[in-house]
Amino acid sequence: MALTAIKIKSIHLFLFIMLSSLFLSSCDSNEDKDIEDIVSLLIKKSIEDDMLYKNDSLMIKENLFINGKFIVAVHNEMTPILNNFGLRKHQNEFKETFQKLQSLKQSKKINFQIDNSLKDVLITDFTPELREDFSKGKIYKSYHMVNSFSRVAIVNNKALATYSISYSPLDGISYLVYLKKENGTWYIFDRQLLSIS
């Protein structure tokens, strides 16, 4: 009788562990999907805001686009944030999210496919060849802009991340971006300028 009770408890414990593991992996995959959506949104926003991309002049596009494309290189690694800035906006609403962002100390690879619905845009990895061109300031030779991202912190349908848009090592801008999710869709709630060069 006692042996049967032990077996039943063991089975219950095993089932609990299995269900807990399944639940945790489901949460991780949901967060990964949210991070993909956020990164894609920020890439698209940086392209739509770019003056060259927005320019309607066919002559400018023919001369400055590369093989007819506006090329965006994306760092494939999200890095921890620098701890030399704080929240200047929405301090109460995003306090917990910012604390989580500060706690993310490890880099993380970006593994996602961007749904690129923008016309005449090529999104590519920031390869060693592009890094070399970037370090030499060869804009419009093999790329137009480079996007980099920090880790993304998500708490209760609110998210924070930093991202930068660079054209050369001495020409770029970075933001802390505040995001919210409504009806399953992420949108940019606000941005805080961090640096400009």
Side-chain angles (χ1 to χ4, degrees):
M1 184 91 169
L3 186 59
T4 307
I6 291 172
K7 283 184 180 178
I8 290 172
K9 284 185 180 183
S10 296
I11 291 170
H12 285 171
L13 181 61
F14 175 75
L15 288 173
F16 174 76
I17 291 169
M18 292 300 292
L19 289 173
S20 296
S21 298
L22 184 63
F23 175 75
L24 290 174
S25 67
S26 171
C27 290
D28 286 346
S29 66
N30 287 343
E31 185 168 283
D32 286 346
K33 173 71 171 92
D34 283 335
I35 290 170
E36 289 176 18
D37 291 347
I38 288 167
V39 170
S40 294
L41 172 66
L42 296 177
I43 292 170
K44 189 173 180 181
K45 174 73 173 152
S46 68
I47 295 167
E48 289 173 338
D49 288 349
D50 187 86
M51 295 305 291
L52 174 60
Y53 182 75
K54 288 194 312 191
N55 195 305
D56 290 332
S57 167
L58 189 59
M59 187 176 82
I60 288 176
K61 288 187 175 182
E62 284 176 352
N63 290 328
L64 297 180
F65 275 27
I66 302 163
N67 297 323
K69 296 289 184 186
F70 182 83
I71 298 179
V72 180
V74 178
H75 275 276
N76 66 355
E77 192 168 313
M78 297 180 295
T79 57
I81 65 165
L82 299 173
N83 285 319
N84 61 354
F85 68 90
L87 289 179
R88 290 197 304 267
K89 301 177 172 184
H90 319 293
Q91 293 178 11
N92 292 331
E93 187 175 7
F94 282 86
K95 179 180 180 182
E96 189 178 347
T97 314
F98 189 62
Q99 289 170 342
K100 181 175 179 181
L101 184 63
Q102 290 176 307
S103 75
L104 299 172
K105 300 295 185 190
Q106 301 295 320
S107 295
K108 182 177 181 176
K109 293 279 186 191
I110 300 174
N111 296 314
F112 64 94
Q113 297 294 321
I114 297 172
D115 176 23
N116 180 17
S117 57
L118 295 173
K119 185 179 179 220
D120 301 327
V121 173
L122 173 65
I123 299 170
T124 186
D125 286 335
F126 194 43
T127 63
E129 296 80 20
L130 284 175
R131 288 173 203 251
E132 186 174 334
D133 286 351
F134 178 80
S135 70
K136 294 176 181 174
K138 291 185 175 180
I139 189 169
Y140 307 144
K141 301 291 184 197
S142 55
Y143 73 95
H144 293 97
M145 76 166 57
V146 176
N147 283 168
S148 305
F149 302 91
S150 74
R151 294 290 305 271
V152 178
I154 301 171
V155 177
N156 299 329
N157 290 327
K158 292 189 282 281
L160 284 173
T162 66
Y163 78 105
S164 64
I165 303 159
S166 304
Y167 304 96
S168 73
L170 299 175
D171 184 7
I173 190 165
S174 66
Y175 297 98
L176 172 66
V177 63
Y178 301 75
L179 302 112
K180 289 187 176 183
K181 186 177 186 180
E182 287 183 1
N183 301 320
T185 302
W186 286 98
Y187 69 94
I188 297 171
F189 176 68
D190 203 353
R191 290 190 302 187
Q192 174 179 315
L193 180 66
L194 295 178
S195 66
I196 189 165
S197 59

